[in-house]
C-alpha cells in the first residue's frame, strides 16, 4: 500500500489539456507581468468569493502583509492573532513593525475563541486577524461584533479555506479584507507561489494595488514606498483553469471527510468538530492522538502518508524568542500542536484509498493501546 498525503501532480494530470492551453496562451500573449490573465483571474476570483475586488500578489504572506500595510498598521500597533496557527499569520504582523498578540483557540474547532478576544484588546490594538484554520471558518459574526464594538478592522487569513462557507455564504468578504494563498498544496493551488486579497473596500483594494507595484500606479511615479509583489500571469492562467473545478474538488474532499468521520468514530481519536453554521473546505483532516509520533510511525510503515500541522506553535518558535513566551503560556495551543496529525485528503484520493486509510488508522490505534 502506498497512499501519499497529497498527490500534487494529480490536478495537472486531470486538467492537462486545459492547463497546457492556458500556459501556451499566456506565453504567446507577450504579457509576462500583469496583463489580461491576471486581471481576468482577479475578476473571476472576486466573483467566486462574493467580493467586489480581488488583487493578486506574489504569495499568501505578502497578501497578509500588504493588507495590514494598507490599513496603516505599523510600529507600536498590536494585531490580535490566533495562538494556534501557521507562523505566517504572525510574520505578516512583525513585517509591519507591529506586535502579534496571541489569543487561544476554541479547543473543539481549533480556531480563535471569540470569548477570549476582548481580554487581549488594548489601546494599541488595530486589527483582529482570525485564521480559517484547516479550511474551517472561524466564527465571524462574533469576531466582527467585537471588532465593531472597539473600532477595529478585521483581516481574515483564508489561506486554507478556498470555497468554505460561513452561514451559507462563501468566505471572501465577511471582514474588511481576506488574504489568500495559492501555494501548490492549497485547495486552489498554483504551480508555484501566488496569493491574493479580496475585499469590498475600494480604498483598501486600491492601496494594495499600489503597494504591490513599488508604490506606483503610473510607471516611474512612486506615491509611497512599496514592494514588488505581483501575481505571475502564468500562475493566474493556471488558477483560472483550476477555479472552475474548485467546488467539485471541495465536494470530493467533503466526501472523504464524511467517510473518515463514519469510519473513525469510536476509534480512540479526537475527530474534527464542525459547528452547524460551518461548511469547511476540508483543506486538512486533522485528528488528535496522545501518541501522535508513534501513530504516525505505524502509518508510515503501513504506506500511509501523513503530516503534522504544526509541530511547534508560533509562540515557542525561536523567531519569537524576543516575546519571551514560555512553555505553558498558551496551553490549549500547545496541547493541540502536541497531538495533531493530518490524514491524507485531496480531490485525487479515491474513496477506496480513504477506506484503506481508515483501516490502517484503526489497526494502528489498537496496536498502540
Amino acid at each position: 500500500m502506498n497512499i501519499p498525503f497529497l498527490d500534487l501532480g494529480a490536478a495537472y494530470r486531470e486538467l492537462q489539456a486545459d492547463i497546457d492551453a492556458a500556459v501556451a496562451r499566456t506565453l504567446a500573449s507577450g504579457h509576462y507581468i500583469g496583463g489580461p490573465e491576471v486581471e481576468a483571474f482577479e475578476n473571476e476570483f472576486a466573483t467566486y468569493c462574493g467580493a467586489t475586488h480581488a488583487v493578486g500578489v506574489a504569495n499568501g504572506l505578502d497578501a497578509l502583509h500588504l493588507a495590514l500595510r494598507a490599513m496603516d498598521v505599523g510600529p507600536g500597533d498590536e494585531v490580535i492573532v490566533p495562538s494556534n496557527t501557521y507562523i505566517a499569520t504572525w510574520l505578516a504582523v512583525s513585517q509591519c513593525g507591529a506586535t502579534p498578540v496571541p489569543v487561544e483557540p476554541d479547543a473543539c474547532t481549533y480556531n480563535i475563541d471569540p470569548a477570549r478576544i476582548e481580554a487581549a484588546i488594548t489601546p494599541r490594538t488595530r486589527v483582529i486577524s482570525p485564521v480559517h484554520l484547516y479550511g474551517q471558518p472561524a466564527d465571524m459574526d462574533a469576531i466582527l461584533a467585537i471588532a465593531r464594538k472597539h473600532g477595529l478592522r478585521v483581516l481574515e487569513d483564508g489561506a486554507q479555506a478556498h470555497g468554505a462557507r460561513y452561514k451559507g455564504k462563501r468566505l471572501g468578504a465577511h471582514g474588511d479584507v481576506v488574504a489568500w494563498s495559492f501555494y501548490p498544496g492549497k485547495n486552489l493551488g498554483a504551480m508555484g507561489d501566488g496569493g491574493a486579497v479580496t475585499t469590498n473596500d475600494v480604498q483598501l483594494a486600491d492601496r494594495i494595488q499600489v503597494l504591490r507595484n513599488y508604490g506606483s500606479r503610473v510607471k516611474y511615479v512612486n506615491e509611497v514606498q512599496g514592494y514588488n509583489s505581483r501575481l505571475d500571469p502564468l500562475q493566474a492562467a493556471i488558477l483560472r483553469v483550476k477555479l472552475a473545478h474548485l467546488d467539485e474538488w471541495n465536494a470530493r474532499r467533503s466526501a472523504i471527510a464524511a467517510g473518515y468521520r463514519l469510519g473513525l468514530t469510536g476509534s480512540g481519536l479526537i475527530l474534527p468538530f464542525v459547528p452547524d453554521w460551518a461548511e469547511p473546505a476540508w483543506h486538512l483532516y486533522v485528528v488528535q492522538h496522545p501518541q501522535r509520533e508513534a501513530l504516525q510511525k505505524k502509518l508510515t510503515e503501513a504506506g500511509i502518508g501523513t503530516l503534522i500541522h504544526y509541530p511547534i506553535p508560533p509562540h515557542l518558535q525561536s523567531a519569537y524568542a524576543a516575546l519571551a513566551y514560555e512553555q505553558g503560556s498558551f496551553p490549549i495551543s500547545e496541547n493541540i500542536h502536541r497531538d495533531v496529525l493530518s490524514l491524507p485528503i485531496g480531490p485525487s484520493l479515491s474513496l477506496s484509498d480513504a477506506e484503506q486509510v481508515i483501516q490502517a488508522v484503526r489497526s494502528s490505534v489498537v496496536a498502540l493501546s
Side-chain angles (χ1 to χ4, degrees):
M1 185 161 54
N2 180 23
I3 299 176
F5 175 74
L6 178 65
D7 182 355
L8 279 179
Y12 175 63
R13 294 191 294 272
E14 182 176 341
L15 305 177
Q16 182 172 354
D18 289 342
I19 289 174
D20 286 353
V23 170
R25 180 182 69 237
T26 307
L27 293 174
S29 74
H31 292 282
Y32 306 134
I33 298 291
E37 292 295 339
V38 174
E39 293 167 5
F41 173 70
E42 289 173 336
N43 290 333
E44 291 161 9
F45 190 61
T47 299
Y48 178 84
C49 293
T52 54
H53 306 281
V55 182
V57 296
N59 54 67
L61 177 55
D62 282 0
L64 289 164
H65 175 220
L66 296 183
L68 290 169
R69 280 293 315 277
M71 293 187 285
D72 293 319
V73 172
D77 294 332
E78 294 177 349
V79 176
I80 291 176
V81 296
S83 56
N84 179 45
T85 185
Y86 181 57
I87 198 171
T89 316
W90 289 42
L91 291 175
V93 177
S94 302
Q95 288 179 356
C96 294
T99 301
V101 176
V103 169
E104 287 272 62
D106 180 315
C108 294
T109 67
Y110 304 130
N111 281 324
I112 193 168
D113 187 348
R116 298 173 182 268
I117 290 177
E118 280 198 278
I121 295 173
T122 76
R124 295 194 295 170
T125 306
R126 297 291 303 280
V127 175
I128 301 172
S129 188
V131 177
H132 304 301
L133 196 65
Y134 310 148
Q136 174 152 290
D139 190 352
M140 290 306 301
D141 283 352
I143 293 167
L144 288 167
I146 296 166
R148 302 309 177 231
K149 175 181 175 181
H150 293 274
L152 304 174
R153 309 298 290 268
V154 175
L155 164 60
E156 301 169 63
D157 185 336
Q160 300 181 358
H162 312 78
R165 294 177 184 267
Y166 175 74
K167 297 187 176 179
K169 179 182 176 183
R170 278 203 194 105
L171 297 176
H174 287 83
D176 294 287
V177 61
V178 187
W180 303 92
S181 168
F182 304 126
Y183 181 78
K186 305 299 186 186
N187 290 40
L188 180 61
M191 292 181 172
D193 269 321
V197 298
T198 53
T199 181
N200 286 337
D201 188 320
V202 63
Q203 292 182 325
L204 282 179
D206 181 69
R207 294 195 70 181
I208 294 166
Q209 286 175 331
V210 171
L211 285 168
R212 73 175 175 178
N213 187 44
Y214 296 99
S216 172
R217 72 181 80 236
V218 177
K219 195 167 185 177
Y220 302 132
V221 178
N222 301 86
E223 302 172 22
V224 296
Q225 295 179 16
Y227 304 86
N228 177 12
S229 180
R230 298 173 296 206
L231 179 62
D232 184 273
L234 284 169
Q235 302 301 340
I238 292 166
L239 289 167
R240 292 183 67 196
V241 174
K242 290 187 172 185
L243 181 59
H245 298 266
L246 179 56
D247 285 346
E248 178 191 349
W249 286 350
N250 281 350
R252 296 181 199 173
R253 289 175 179 269
S254 182
I256 293 165
Y260 280 161
R261 171 157 291 280
L262 182 65
L264 294 175
T265 294
S267 67
L269 298 175
I270 296 176
L271 303 180
F273 169 78
V274 180
D276 292 340
W277 41 257
E279 296 176 45
W282 293 110
H283 174 60
L284 299 173
Y285 193 89
V286 179
V287 300
Q288 289 190 65
H289 189 274
Q291 300 179 67
R292 188 258 311 279
E293 277 74 17
L295 175 58
Q296 184 178 42
K297 183 174 184 293
K298 284 193 170 294
L299 290 173
T300 299
E301 292 169 351
I304 306 295
T306 60
L307 289 177
I308 297 171
H309 297 87
Y310 302 95
I312 305 172
H315 70 277
L316 296 179
Q317 297 279 4
S318 297
Y320 283 100
L323 296 182
Y325 291 119
E326 298 179 350
Q327 189 83 32
S329 297
F330 297 96
I332 299 175
S333 290
E334 291 169 23
N335 289 342
I336 290 171
H337 285 250
R338 183 194 63 219
D339 292 347
V340 291
L341 185 66
S342 299
L343 301 181
I345 194 166
S348 66
L349 184 70
S350 69
L351 293 179
S352 60
D353 280 350
E355 180 60 33
Q356 291 187 69
V357 173
I358 291 167
Q359 297 306 318
V361 169
R362 295 190 73 95
S363 297
S364 297
V365 170
V366 168
L368 294 172
S369 61

